Amino acid sequence: MEDVEIGGVTIAVLALDRVIPFDLSTPIEVFTRTRLPDGRPGYHLRVCAEQPEIDAGAFTLRAPWGLEGLEGADTIVVPGTAAPAAPLSAAVRDALRAAAENGTRIASICSGAFPLAATGLLDGLRATTHWVAADLLAAGHPDVEVDPDVLYVDNGQILTSAGAAAGLDLCLHMIRRDYGSAVAADAARLSVMPLEREGGQAQFIVHDHAPDPQGSALEPLLTWLRDNLGRDLTLAAVADQAGTSTRTLIRRFREQTGTTPLQWLHRARIRQAQHLLETTDHSVERIAAQVGFGSPTAFRDRFKRTTGVSPRTYRRTFG
């Protein structure tokens, strides 16, 4: 296509096969709605694809630009795909690498971190993706430092974000980098989003009960622990309940759950606290006591370390 873009920042959104429509639409909507103080558009958008038609799940996408649309763009955004582990074509890999060598800013949304990692551009960098896929990204790309708890990571030229709404956070962050907080705040209001969200994606991770191998020798003990989370459970007390020494208890826990007794207790208590924050109007102090923390301060500290937000913020979000 003929490039008639004058002024503003050019954003190329790269639609790979089986692109996730939400991830694709996020940068398109956010950047096309961004206006500068004088009313001019802040960005020009190009939707690019390797092939004329792209499978987007519920529909087929026809992108107006091919890979040549990546050339000369100020920023390339790679949305997530429903097949993150799919091989990356040589043409796409080479186009992204060439753009990076030319200094183009490159950002990924959700599982878009996988094709970005496949180019080698994330090697040696900290990156994130949707928390469900974080272990898969780390296993497939050991040279990438995967952080599953944050909403996005800005390495300067290379940026990655977590899933779904975190793509909005990343786009607003880039607008703020480009044009300042006032323009970004206007874009945030149009997106009905806060410019800054408290905490990272750790608050959205489902913290299930710690591993509970059914049929194992520990199953009766784990059931007893869940029923007694509110008690002051020392390692010695748990060992007494199990009828074994503390040393043997720790060994059996590691063998059968992959963690220690106290770590298992912390996870179980925080999960129970999440449930109470979601389903009751009990005070934080009461919940702290219900799940076995000696003080509300210790509870708040452990809860925030686990979820990334305070108990009150968690309740406002999920209560």
Side-chain angles (χ1 to χ4, degrees):
M1 289 185 62
E2 181 183 358
D3 191 344
V4 293
E5 299 154 357
I6 301 175
V9 175
T10 298
I11 306 282
V13 181
L14 176 60
L16 299 175
D17 202 37
R18 301 191 65 187
V19 66
I20 297 173
F22 187 94
D23 294 353
L24 175 69
S25 64
T26 295
I28 295 173
E29 285 297 304
V30 175
F31 289 122
T32 56
R33 291 175 182 268
T34 301
R35 290 292 181 269
L36 302 184
D38 61 5
R40 290 181 297 116
Y43 297 92
H44 302 290
L45 263 289
R46 306 173 184 173
V47 178
C48 310
E50 182 180 11
Q51 303 297 332
E53 291 191 348
I54 294 295
D55 177 9
F59 56 89
T60 299
L61 169 72
R62 291 189 63 86
W65 292 82
L67 293 181
E68 77 282 354
L70 304 181
E71 300 174 7
D74 299 292
T75 298
I76 296 171
V77 178
V78 184
T81 77
L88 189 67
S89 75
V92 171
R93 181 195 64 220
D94 293 346
L96 289 174
R97 285 179 175 174
E101 289 176 2
N102 289 331
T104 303
R105 181 173 64 185
I106 303 177
S108 67
I109 295 175
C110 193
S111 58
F114 283 79
L116 203 54
T119 67
L121 293 175
L122 293 182
D123 288 356
L125 297 180
R126 181 166 160 261
T128 193
T129 186
H130 194 294
W131 61 267
V132 168
D135 287 345
L136 182 62
L137 180 64
H141 302 279
D143 292 331
V144 180
E145 181 189 346
V146 180
D147 186 343
D149 293 337
V150 296
L151 294 173
Y152 59 83
V153 176
D154 183 350
N155 289 294
Q157 183 185 4
I158 307 295
L159 305 91
T160 55
S161 74
L168 280 167
D169 294 287
L170 178 62
C171 291
L172 293 171
H173 172 71
M174 288 192 286
I175 294 171
R176 184 169 50 191
R177 273 184 47 177
D178 294 338
Y179 293 113
S181 295
V183 173
D186 285 339
R189 282 191 286 270
L190 286 171
S191 300
V192 197
M193 277 281 292
L195 185 55
E196 288 281 0
R197 280 200 289 166
E198 185 175 351
Q201 66 171 331
Q203 62 188 298
F204 303 102
I205 297 174
V206 179
H207 293 281
D208 292 327
H209 291 301
D212 187 355
Q214 294 189 1
S216 76
L218 282 180
E219 185 177 0
L221 178 63
L222 299 183
T223 300
W224 180 84
L225 288 172
R226 280 195 296 270
D227 291 340
N228 291 273
L229 292 177
R231 294 178 53 183
D232 181 14
L233 296 173
T234 64
L235 186 60
V238 176
D240 285 343
Q241 177 65 29
T244 186
S245 68
T246 56
R247 183 174 181 179
T248 300
L249 178 71
I250 292 171
R251 177 175 56 79
R252 288 180 180 173
F253 252 83
R254 287 199 178 277
E255 290 173 350
Q256 297 181 41
T257 71
T259 188
T260 68
L262 293 183
Q263 287 171 336
W264 191 98
L265 268 175
H266 284 318
R267 290 175 60 181
R269 283 170 165 160
I270 293 302
R271 181 65 193 97
Q272 179 64 12
Q274 289 176 301
H275 174 71
L276 292 172
L277 288 166
E278 294 167 12
T279 60
T280 75
D281 60 359
H282 296 172
S283 68
V284 170
E285 291 74 16
R286 179 178 174 182
I287 290 174
Q290 284 177 287
V291 299
F293 282 87
S295 74
T297 300
F299 168 63
R300 290 187 179 95
D301 179 66
R302 174 64 62 173
F303 192 93
K304 188 162 188 177
R305 275 192 284 161
T306 302
T307 67
V309 295
S310 69
R312 294 189 188 279
T313 298
Y314 185 90
R315 170 171 273 165
R316 286 199 302 269
T317 304
F318 298 105

